């Protein structure tokens, strides 16, 4: 049994079965990230844990207590919202101390806690301002500060960085990672951004259509995806898929071969496993993405993407040969399940 | 130079037109105010007299003859109480419609509003009979309840659109912070919607003060408000223009002054959500 346990948790919106019997066990101090495409139920699941959405079936236990139907206030969780959700009529200090004031904590202790949190988040000089007078990044830090002063059992983050610009997102991500290291608090973090998932998580939970597709460490998901969905969802650009009818010696029952972009290479025509023509070259400076349309591919099939760290002379329309490393391939069956997986020489 | 001259000309025309229109709209009230300071004889003079020696005798006579303060007191009591009572009901109703809607919330709100489209006279007989059976004819209590009821749909709708502008996450954040429903209301919702609640209250106050139909039909001397006082001067002794004007000025005076000071709030209240 874990610190926070979800057992067969269900959510219905009328007839729509939004969350379909999810089981998940989270250990104390873990950083868990929920990822998945829009509408997969990741935010709903987080809000169910928070108590902001009713749980229609199953149980939720935290630290041995059944909190399935407890009010949000009684769960001892803190949440950071995507829109920050700061109280506009209160100063930063009042925002951060609101929960403690409600709990009638001694004023001296409140001041101390707010000060400590403000120091940690570099907010000390803004304590008397209202949220209106802060930048987006500062507001997000206040929202985080409001969560940490309470010292809750679990922190919940609902896409906290999606309203920030790219540079600030990177900084705040690092800050969240640092805070988690310092506080060691159990954290559940919802995002659709893979980089956040890969860099922050101890374990990533991949959701689709209200079910868990796979749970694992970021590298487990990357190297050993349980199915085609996870294989394609994790990793940017997406994993290349080739119908096994064009692959000699494919295992029995497999319909598709998956190879990550960095495990494919451009080669001489004589060594090529697949021949095609270059459709596009994306030179990003540190890496080059070469889009190759195989001879057998239809007009609507996606091209193969080859990632290399050297620059290339290839031009659009050039003939190109493609090969891949058999040490890093995934075979999927007709249902999309992974059949064999040879990454790092280990069959999954 | 020429451009600025053109612009000035436009401005002058616009200003004069606005003043003319405002004066036209205001003229009846001005006429009433002037008439209230005339004697009855001067009041019926044709053409109207604009230069005369003003007298206050109409005002003193109104107070002597029909106890203006008694009616004014009824007006104050009924409008203030119905506003408070209305807010007590409308705020929780609007809260639930705005933050915890069900599939039928919109329908219920439309139904509430639809009651305002029915002519009041359509409900007169049942309400009259109910008041009669309960011994509530000519009572301040019944009037307060009726004012509350007729204003509720508008109050709920105004508060609803005001609450709708408050992000739901802020209330959820308060809940996560440990706020009870009461804390959430008092410490978060109330400060954030104070403007909206105030304008709703003001509007309700004005509407109650001005209500005449129910007052005339359900009250007489005891619970009558200023509306019934005004009406009592148009009959049965025939029309006494000067006294009628004086009593009308006295009836609208307080609410005009009140409206003048709160016009910003009132306009804001009526245009919530209209301009973002």
């Amino acid at each position: 049994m874990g610190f926070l346990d979800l057992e067969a948790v269900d959510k219905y919106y009328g007839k729509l079965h939004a969350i379909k019997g999810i089981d998940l066990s989270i250990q104390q101090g873990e950083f868990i990230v929920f990822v998945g495409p829009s509408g997969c139920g990741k935010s709903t699941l987080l809000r169910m844990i928070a108590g902001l959405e009713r749980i229609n079936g199953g149980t939720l236990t935290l630290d041995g207590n059944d909190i399935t139907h407890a009010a949000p206030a009684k769960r001892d969780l803190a949440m950071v919202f995507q829109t920050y959700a700061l109280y506009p009529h209160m100063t930063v200090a009042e925002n951060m101390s609101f929960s403690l004031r409600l709990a009638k904590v001694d004023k001296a202790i409140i001041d101390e806690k707010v000060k400590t949190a403000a120091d940690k988040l570099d907010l000390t000089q803004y304590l008397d301002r209202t949220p209106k007078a802060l930048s987006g990044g500062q507001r997000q830090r206040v929202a985080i500060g409001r969560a940490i002063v309470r010292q809750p059992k679990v922190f919940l983050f609902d896409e906290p960085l999606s309203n920030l610009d790219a540079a600030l997102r990177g900084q705040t991500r690092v800050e969240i990672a640092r805070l988690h290291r310092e506080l060691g608090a159990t954290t559940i973090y919802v995002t659709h951004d893979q980089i956040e998932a890969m860099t922050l998580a101890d374990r990533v939970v991949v959701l689709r259509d209200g079910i868990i597709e796979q749970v694992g460490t970021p590298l487990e998901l990357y190297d050993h995806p349980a199915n085609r969905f996870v294989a394609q969802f994790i990793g940017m650009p997406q994993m290349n898929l080739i119908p096994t009818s064009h692959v000699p010696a494919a295992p029995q029952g497999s319909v598709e071969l998956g190879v990550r972009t960095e495990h494919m290479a451009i080669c001489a025509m004589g060594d090529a496993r697949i021949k095609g023509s270059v459709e596009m070259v994306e030179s990003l400076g540190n890496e080059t993405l070469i889009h190759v349309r195989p001879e057998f591919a239809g007009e609507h099939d996606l091209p193969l993407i080859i990632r290399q760290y050297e620059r290339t002379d290839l031009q659009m329309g050039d003939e190109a040969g493609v090969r891949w490393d058999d040490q890093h391939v995934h075979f999927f069956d007709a249902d999309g399940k992974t059949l064999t997986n040879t990454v790092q020489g280990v069959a999954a | 130079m020429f451009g600025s001259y053109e612009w000035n000309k436009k401005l002058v025309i616009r200003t004069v037109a606005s003043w003319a229109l405002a004066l036209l709209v205001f003229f009846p009230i001005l006429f009433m105010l002037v008439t209230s300071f005339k004697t009855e004889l001067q009041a019926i003079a044709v053409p109207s007299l604009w230069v005369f020696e003003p007298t206050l005798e109409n005002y003193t006579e109104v107070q002597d003859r029909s106890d203006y303060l008694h009616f004014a007191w009824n007006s104050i009591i009924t409008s203030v109480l119905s506003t408070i009572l209305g807010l007590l009901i409308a705020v929780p109703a609007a809260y639930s419609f705005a933050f915890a809607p069900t599939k039928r919330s919109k329908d219920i709100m439309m139904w509430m509003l639809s009651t305002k489209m029915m002519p009041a006279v359509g409900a007169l007989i049942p309400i009259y009979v109910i008041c009669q059976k309960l011994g509530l004819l000519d009572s301040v209590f019944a009037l307060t309840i009726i004012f509350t009821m007729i204003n509720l749909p508008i109050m709920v709708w105004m508060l609803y659109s005001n609450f709708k502008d408050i992000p739901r996450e802020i209330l959820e954040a308060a809940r996560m912070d440990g706020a009870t429903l009461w804390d959430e209301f008092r410490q978060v919702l109330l400060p954030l919607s104070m403007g909206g609640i105030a304008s709703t209250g003001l509007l309700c106050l004005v509407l109650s003060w001005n209500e005449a139909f129910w007052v005339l039909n359900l009250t007489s001397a005891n619970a009558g408000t200023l509306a019934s006082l005004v009406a009592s001067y148009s009959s049965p002794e025939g029309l006494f223009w000067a006294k009628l004007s004086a009593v009308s000025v006295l009836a609208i005076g307080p609410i005009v002054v009140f409206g003048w000071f709160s016009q910003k709030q009132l306009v804001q209240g009526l245009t919530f959500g209209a301009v973002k």
Side-chain angles (χ1 to χ4, degrees), chain B:
Chain B
M1 271 295 270
F2 183 74
S4 106
Y5 167 76
E6 266 294 297
W7 189 79
N8 269 333
K9 204 169 111 187
K10 265 189 189 163
L11 190 74
V12 168
I13 294 172
R14 232 182 271 175
T15 311
V16 170
S18 315
W19 275 98
L21 189 68
L23 211 63
L24 190 73
V25 172
F26 179 65
F27 184 76
I29 294 177
L30 178 70
F31 190 77
M32 181 175 81
L33 187 69
V34 171
T35 308
S36 72
F37 293 108
K38 294 178 181 173
T39 63
E40 288 296 349
L41 212 58
Q42 289 166 335
I44 52 169
V46 180
S48 286
L49 290 176
W50 287 95
V51 184
F52 57 91
E53 201 178 318
T55 169
L56 280 174
E57 70 179 54
N58 296 316
Y59 288 92
T60 46
E61 204 175 326
V62 165
Q63 173 58 21
D64 288 347
R65 233 173 78 178
S66 44
D67 196 0
Y68 166 77
L69 290 177
H70 169 74
F71 291 94
W73 178 244
N74 283 345
S75 274
I76 292 170
I77 286 287
T78 50
S79 43
V80 170
L81 286 185
S82 69
T83 301
I84 294 172
L85 191 62
L87 285 175
L88 286 178
I89 300 169
V91 168
Y95 175 93
S96 92
F97 287 136
F99 299 114
T102 65
K103 250 195 304 193
R104 296 268 168 259
S105 289
K106 264 269 143 73
D107 298 338
I108 296 173
M109 290 188 66
M110 285 312 291
W111 167 74
M112 285 180 68
L113 199 62
S114 74
T115 61
K116 291 299 285 177
M117 297 171 192
M118 188 178 79
V121 71
L124 177 60
I125 303 293
I127 288 183
Y128 187 91
V129 172
I130 290 169
C131 287
Q132 190 184 37
K133 297 281 182 207
L134 295 176
L136 289 175
L137 282 178
D138 199 17
S139 78
V140 169
F141 176 76
L143 218 49
T144 305
I145 300 291
I146 287 169
F147 286 176
T148 307
M149 302 294 246
I150 59 178
N151 289 333
L152 258 183
I154 288 172
M155 297 179 86
V156 171
W157 268 90
M158 275 179 78
L159 289 169
Y160 169 80
S161 29
N162 184 237
F163 289 172
K164 264 297 203 207
D165 286 349
I166 297 172
R168 193 193 164 107
E169 286 91 350
I170 292 180
L171 298 185
E172 289 179 343
R175 246 169 274 167
M176 294 297 297
D177 270 346
T180 58
L181 190 61
W182 175 241
D183 292 325
E184 188 185 318
F185 172 72
R186 198 175 57 91
Q187 307 213 39
V188 181
L189 187 66
L190 197 62
L192 292 181
S193 57
M194 209 51 216
I197 294 176
S199 358
T200 307
L202 288 174
L203 184 75
C204 180
L205 207 65
V206 172
L207 290 177
S208 296
W209 186 281
N210 295 342
E211 177 58 40
F213 177 80
W214 294 103
V215 175
L216 296 181
N217 285 296
L218 297 179
T219 67
S220 58
N222 180 37
T225 65
L226 288 171
S228 61
L229 177 65
V230 175
S232 74
Y233 273 80
S234 65
S235 62
E237 312 101 13
L239 291 178
F240 291 94
W241 287 111
K243 278 190 261 314
L244 184 60
S245 296
V247 80
S248 300
V249 169
L250 285 170
I252 64 167
I255 208 74
V256 167
V257 173
F258 179 79
W260 181 267
F261 284 110
S262 56
Q263 57 180 318
K264 204 175 131 202
Q265 286 285 349
L266 276 171
V267 171
Q268 185 209 331
L270 290 170
T271 52
F272 292 139
V275 204
K276 279 251 176 158

Side-chain angles (χ1 to χ4, degrees), chain A residues 48-51 55 60 62 67-77:
Chain A
M48 288 161 73
I49 295 172
I55 294 174
L60 177 66
L62 173 63
I67 56 163
T68 314
H69 300 294
K74 305 278 179 223
R75 296 186 178 210
D76 204 5
L77 312 169

Side-chain angles (χ1 to χ4, degrees), chain A residues 304-319:
Chain A
L304 299 175
I305 299 177
I306 292 97
R307 188 206 309 243
Q308 61 180 41
Y309 296 100
E310 305 81 34
R311 308 222 166 151
T312 182
D313 296 329
L314 285 172
Q315 303 275 328
M316 210 175 100
D318 287 355
E319 293 290 303

Side-chain angles (χ1 to χ4, degrees), chain A residues 47 73 87-89 99 102 150, chain B residues 172-174 176-178 187 191-192:
Chain A
R47 290 170 57 83
Y87 310 121
H89 57 298
S99 60
L102 285 175
R150 288 179 49 195
Chain B
E172 289 179 343
M176 294 297 297
D177 270 346
Q187 307 213 39
L192 292 181

